[in-house]
Amino acid sequence: MPVDVKMPQLGESVTEGTIGRWLKQPGDTIEEFEPLLEVMTDKVDTEVPATIKGTLFEILVPEGETVRVGTVIARLIQAPEAGSSDVATAPLRATLPRAPISPVVARLANEHQLNLDDIQGSGGSGRVTKKDIEALLAQRSLTGSSALTVMSDGDEALNPQAVVDPVEAPPLQRKQREMDASVSEPAAVVAGLGPDDELVPLTSMRRAIAQRMVHAQQTIPHVTTVMEVDMHRVVAHRAQHRSDFERQGVKLTFTAYIVEAVVAALREVGIVNSSYGEDGIVQHHRIHIGVAVAIPDGLIVPVIKDADDKSLFGLARAVNDLAERARLRRLLPDEVQGGTFSITNHGVWGSLFAMPIINQPQAAILGVGVVEKRVVVVSEDGTDALAIRPMCYLSLTFDHRVADGATGDAFLAATKRTLESYSAT
């Protein structure tokens, strides 16, 4: 009897998950606790193990699809116990539908009139996958071929591998050739790949980032304000305490100081620590700071919960821990959710300043530029002088539905004031 595999709840606040990658295919045997698939929740990939030893019978939810917790996503057939008859399960692989396809593959095949029997599948048991379809379409775009093959029901479909005499080509093919000939070169480049181009498939993380960023830009009126900060007091404090932190196993970075300054500013200008809603603005009284971390295939934002309860040492330790586990892909789903404000330190790559996109449903995000020495005018005892100081640009992007320019400037000024007033002791 089939055993249901359900979308697990991978965190207290997690209500849904996205199938990132199936590690097994129908007909494959699997051991108990062996990874069955990867589930992505808010850009965190988590392996889900099989709960029994047996065979993967059926996949019900394809890669890339998002479903709620508790949804049945696959079915397993349990292996017979030692000594029991295995007649019922022995012919399982043979009785499975030949190379079952996902709904996504079925839709693509229908849209592009493809005969799946003519496609060599790369999945388990010769299953045709979405990547196989995309590769075929990319090849057709590259070759410009409009040759035809006949589907099982008699309909015609495009097949880039077939060779047909243009004179003898059926009406549908001739029409396609006429359409191809009428397409100008710029349009062809947009529609497909050029001979020197490569199609890089979207990872589930990149797709999630793209969807969220587009949605944020389309729904939030973004406003950005920029201020320059003199970091010489922070640099002096870090130089004095860096070795003490390292002896306790904590690396003291500029990010910890930025988080501490943001916490102070959020206490002073609390409306920035909020979310916009159609019924009103939800102001958060707990401060959870998300810190963006770059990883090879995207960006992830682990959250420092209750950052206002932590000292500089506690913030530095939290930044180190979350960043390291983010790069190792060991974050828990709850650790990337619930943020009320975000920080992105784009300066690590030498960038001076940027206008980051707000991480919904938050109301603001702070961009931190590179800390570099510049010649600036300083005033001491009423006298102006030139000095070389470590300077940094801070850019605050905020939701104009929540705050106006004066509010955004007040918040950024408070952040700047905390950093510039740091004591060397």
Side-chain angles (χ1 to χ4, degrees), residues 9 22 38 54 56 59 73 98 102 106 152 154 181 211 217 223 230 261 299 307 311 314 331 333 353 369 371:
Q9 184 164 17
W22 283 102
E38 290 180 353
L56 177 57
I59 290 177
I73 58 177
R98 187 205 168 269
S102 70
S152 59
Q211 292 172 345
Q217 281 280 41
V223 179
D230 185 344
L299 190 74
S311 63
L331 290 173
F353 62 85
V371 177

Side-chain angles (χ1 to χ4, degrees), residues 27-28 54-57 76-78 87-97:
D28 292 348
T55 306
L56 177 57
F57 176 71
L76 306 177
I77 295 293
Q78 189 163 10
V87 174
T89 56
L92 174 62
R93 185 180 294 272
T95 58
L96 284 172

Side-chain angles (χ1 to χ4, degrees), residues 6 66 88 152 165 171 204 215-216 232 256 277 291 299 330 335 376 408:
K6 298 181 179 180
T66 302
S152 59
D165 189 330
S204 55
H215 185 260
H232 84 277
V291 180
L299 190 74
R330 294 179 180 174
E335 292 176 318
V376 296

Side-chain angles (χ1 to χ4, degrees), residues 97-274:
R98 187 205 168 269
I101 61 172
S102 70
V104 174
V105 170
R107 176 177 57 80
L108 288 173
N110 183 59
E111 289 179 359
H112 297 279
Q113 294 185 308
L114 299 176
N115 185 359
L116 295 178
D117 291 336
D118 294 336
I119 301 176
Q120 181 64 44
S122 61
S125 304
R127 182 179 64 93
V128 178
T129 67
K130 180 183 177 183
K131 290 183 179 179
D132 296 330
I133 299 292
E134 291 174 339
L136 181 63
L137 296 176
Q139 181 182 4
R140 186 174 71 188
S141 176
L142 282 170
T143 60
S145 175
S146 312
L148 295 175
T149 186
V150 179
M151 299 181 70
S152 59
D153 59 358
D155 291 336
E156 295 171 329
L158 294 176
N159 179 1
Q161 297 176 340
V163 179
V164 179
D165 189 330
V167 178
E168 300 297 328
L172 176 61
Q173 180 180 352
R174 291 200 301 270
K175 180 178 179 181
Q176 180 66 40
R177 289 186 183 277
E178 293 171 359
M179 293 174 61
D180 291 342
S182 66
V183 176
S184 61
E185 186 168 341
V189 171
V190 173
L193 297 172
D196 299 319
D197 297 333
E198 177 187 2
L199 179 64
V200 180
L202 291 174
T203 63
S204 55
M205 174 176 286
R206 177 52 54 192
R207 189 181 301 276
I209 292 174
Q211 292 172 345
R212 295 188 64 174
M213 294 300 98
V214 169
H215 185 260
Q217 281 280 41
Q218 291 177 341
T219 58
I220 298 177
H222 284 60
V223 179
T224 301
T225 183
V226 180
M227 291 187 183
E228 192 175 25
V229 179
D230 185 344
M231 297 285 285
H232 84 277
R233 291 184 180 274
V234 168
V235 170
H237 185 276
R238 179 170 177 257
Q240 183 172 350
H241 297 277
R242 190 173 184 175
S243 59
D244 295 336
F245 277 56
E246 289 179 351
R247 277 194 293 270
Q248 301 177 70
V250 175
K251 183 179 180 181
L252 182 57
T253 64
F254 289 129
T255 302
Y257 291 95
I258 297 295
V259 174
E260 187 178 49
V262 164
V263 166
L266 289 175
R267 285 171 173 164
E268 185 174 328
V269 189
I271 193 62
V272 177
N273 195 50
S274 61

Side-chain angles (χ1 to χ4, degrees), residues 30-36 49-53:
I30 187 169
E31 298 295 325
E32 186 177 9
F33 306 125
E34 183 181 2
L36 178 62
T51 56
I52 62 171
K53 177 181 179 180

